[in-house]
Amino acid sequence: MARKRLLWQLYPAYLLLIILSLSAVGVYSSVMLRNVKIKNETENLVRSINILSDLLKQDVSNGNFDSVAEIIKKASIAAGRRFTLILPDGKVIADSEKSPLQMENHADRTEIKQALHGRIGTSRRISPTLGIEMIYAAIGIKHDGKIIAVLRAASPAGRLGNEIKGVYSHLILVAAATAVIAAVLSLMLAHKVSSTFGKMTEGAKRFAAGDFKIHIPVPDLREPGELAETLNAMAISLEERIKTIELQRNELKAVLSSMVEGVLVVDEQQQIKTINNAAANLLGIDPVGAAGQNTVILIRNIELQELVESVMKTGQTAEKDIMIYAESPRYVQVHCVSLQKTGGKGVVIVFNDITRIHRLENIRREFVSNVSHELKTPITSIKGFVETLLDGAVDNPQDARKFLDIIVRQTNRLNAIIEDILSLSRIEQESETGRMELNRGLIKEVLQSAVSACQIKAAEKQMQIKVECDDNLAAPINALLLEQAIVNLIDNAIKYSDAEKEISICAAGANGNIEIRITDNGFGIASEHIGRIFERFYVADKARS
């Protein structure tokens, strides 16, 4: 069914209202009526541009002037008024009657000046474009509290004069009756228009609030119906775009939360915009309450602050290793990238925890130092006794025999150190490649073999070694490596125990595992060395006595 045009719905009733009102008032009140009509027309213009400004605000703020021009032309046809959209500098960007390119700058118009000052601008004058007297009303269209354009509506004043000319004084007698009829007709028309646009305005507000589940009813009038359909289509499009944005945001959050590296994004005031869990844990802060906080106050790290400020000033990428004191001191590699190149403001900071690498580097240095010392001692001894032999001690069989025995012992010691280094290298290589060979064997046999290897040292200190293990206790093992580990533990127990003490070895199954416990009754290792007893070649006794 074809919809009725809004113009033909409103104009006959509006014209009838004007004719009846002018007939009732007559010639005596023609001047007063003219003023009233001009006022009413101005108010109608204000109402129409208020409604139209709400429809245009989104497109104007987005710079979609083609859509603005189309809406203005449709609104002009529907309302029977001339609409013009002017930028704050006075440039006309859309007009329902003339091409904006043919129109002069409107910055000096009275109603435009008033609208730019936040008021409702009104005036009445001869239009330079149309050459007739026009009534103007203008309001500012605001976005984020700032006027971005002025919407002006105009209506010819001559039309009111033509209507008033037909009023005669003898119609005053019927003023009361005609006033009632005009009021009824105006009420019916205003209610219909107000109800239609009121529903669309309410729907548009719901859309703006993010509620896209509603559907604006489409009236049977062409222009409001097309407007309602446009708003509904806009809501569907906005909902799809918002879902896409939310999906992308969730994907970004998932990526950031799964990253091992810490990521922190700050703005130009060094306020936190984004932080992932890795960065929050590294810095010892709460990721939920960190957004909007200032890094200078929250993190309090001078090196980090200076690095971020330098990147903000220069716009260049920077990298630095710094110490961060959170729950425990940590060495962190910080990589800062400015957002200026991407058109943003702020800095992206990526944290890599290199505490373990730094610790391993220290261990490596100590390892080199310890191994060098361990190797130097037997080599120095061997060299010294060989030089002694060369100097003539070789001619004395008794001394030569003693010196050669010492050289043999030091050579064995040197060989043992090298074997330890090779064993460590082999164990680490097998662990990393997962190729360690395991064969099912009896635990007790390994324990007894380890005890036999340490029996001589134990006998020297008159120490007893007891073994408690089920004869059938077995597991997939590398017998040589397991024996070596147990020998090391027994050897430590002998070293760090007083003479005539007892050492017990107990092996038993527990929860699918096998636990081997070696217990001594000695004076033990000092507490400051406990945390480092598994570092390769670490020696608690620095004198190596």
Side-chain angles (χ1 to χ4, degrees), residues 117-258:
H117 285 84
R119 302 192 300 272
I120 298 175
T122 60
S123 67
R124 183 159 55 97
R125 65 176 182 277
I126 302 296
S127 171
T129 306
L130 302 179
I132 60 175
E133 185 179 18
M134 301 289 288
I135 301 172
Y136 296 96
I139 62 170
I141 298 177
K142 294 184 178 180
H143 180 71
D144 294 337
K146 181 180 179 182
I147 295 177
I148 60 175
V150 174
L151 178 62
R152 187 184 71 177
S155 180
R159 184 176 63 182
L160 300 180
N162 294 333
E163 293 170 351
I164 295 174
K165 289 179 182 179
V167 180
Y168 297 97
S169 59
H170 64 275
L171 294 178
I172 297 176
L173 298 176
V174 296
T178 55
V180 172
I181 296 173
V184 172
L185 292 175
S186 298
L187 179 62
M188 292 173 60
L189 181 60
H191 181 269
K192 187 172 185 178
V193 175
S194 176
S195 176
T196 300
F197 283 99
K199 291 178 181 178
M200 286 189 286
T201 301
E202 183 63 27
K205 290 180 180 179
R206 296 275 294 274
F207 293 157
D211 183 7
F212 301 105
K213 296 180 179 179
I214 67 166
H215 182 81
I216 297 177
V218 180
D220 57 355
L221 299 175
R222 179 183 297 178
E223 287 79 4
E226 291 176 352
L227 181 58
E229 290 175 347
T230 302
L231 287 173
N232 288 328
M234 179 189 68
I236 295 173
S237 177
L238 284 175
E239 185 177 16
E240 292 177 353
R241 293 183 182 182
I242 290 175
K243 286 181 179 179
T244 301
I245 293 173
E246 289 180 348
L247 179 61
Q248 293 174 346
R249 182 184 63 184
N250 293 335
E251 289 176 349
L252 179 60
K253 285 185 177 180
V255 170
L256 289 176
S257 62
S258 63

Side-chain angles (χ1 to χ4, degrees), residues 39-173:
K39 181 180 178 182
N40 289 340
E41 181 64 9
T42 303
E43 292 176 353
N44 288 335
L45 292 175
V46 171
R47 282 195 294 270
S48 65
I49 58 178
N50 276 327
I51 295 172
L52 187 57
S53 66
D54 291 336
L55 301 177
L56 296 177
K57 181 182 295 184
Q58 185 68 27
D59 286 331
V60 174
S61 62
N62 292 334
N64 191 359
F65 298 133
D66 291 337
S67 177
V68 169
E70 185 67 22
I71 294 174
I72 283 180
K73 288 180 180 180
K74 290 182 179 180
S76 175
I77 296 173
R81 296 181 176 89
R82 181 185 181 186
F83 293 104
T84 308
L85 189 69
I86 303 101
L87 293 178
D89 61 358
K91 181 180 179 181
V92 179
I93 60 172
D95 187 86
S96 60
E97 299 291 339
K98 293 286 185 178
S99 171
L101 298 176
Q102 300 174 355
M103 301 178 68
E104 60 185 2
N105 192 284
H106 281 42
D108 59 343
R109 303 296 196 269
T110 302
E111 66 279 6
I112 303 300
K113 292 180 179 179
Q114 294 173 352
L116 288 174
H117 285 84
R119 302 192 300 272
I120 298 175
T122 60
S123 67
R124 183 159 55 97
R125 65 176 182 277
I126 302 296
S127 171
T129 306
L130 302 179
I132 60 175
E133 185 179 18
M134 301 289 288
I135 301 172
Y136 296 96
I139 62 170
I141 298 177
K142 294 184 178 180
H143 180 71
D144 294 337
K146 181 180 179 182
I147 295 177
I148 60 175
V150 174
L151 178 62
R152 187 184 71 177
S155 180
R159 184 176 63 182
L160 300 180
N162 294 333
E163 293 170 351
I164 295 174
K165 289 179 182 179
V167 180
Y168 297 97
S169 59
H170 64 275
L171 294 178
I172 297 176
L173 298 176

Side-chain angles (χ1 to χ4, degrees), residues 281-347:
N281 294 335
L282 187 64
L283 299 172
I285 59 179
D286 180 15
V288 178
Q293 297 290 324
N294 193 289
T295 57
V296 177
I297 300 175
L298 192 62
I299 300 176
R300 296 186 179 183
N301 188 291
I302 296 177
E303 288 184 287
L304 178 61
Q305 180 183 346
E306 291 176 348
L307 186 63
V308 173
E309 290 176 351
S310 174
V311 172
M312 285 185 177
K313 290 179 181 178
T314 63
Q316 301 296 320
T317 301
E319 185 175 291
K320 186 178 182 181
D321 294 346
I322 65 174
M323 175 77 81
I324 290 181
Y325 298 90
E327 295 180 358
S328 60
R330 294 193 178 189
Y331 291 92
V332 179
Q333 183 185 58
V334 182
H335 186 81
C336 295
V337 179
S338 175
L339 293 176
Q340 294 179 4
K341 296 181 181 179
T342 60
K345 294 182 179 180
V347 175

Side-chain angles (χ1 to χ4, degrees), residues 14 17-18 21-22 25 28-45 47 81 124 135 157 160-161 163-164:
Y14 185 78
L17 178 61
I18 296 296
S21 299
L22 291 177
V25 174
Y28 176 78
S29 58
S30 60
V31 176
M32 181 184 299
L33 183 58
R34 178 179 175 86
N35 293 334
V36 171
K37 287 299 179 181
I38 291 174
K39 181 180 178 182
N40 289 340
E41 181 64 9
T42 303
E43 292 176 353
N44 288 335
L45 292 175
R47 282 195 294 270
R81 296 181 176 89
R124 183 159 55 97
I135 301 172
L160 300 180
E163 293 170 351
I164 295 174

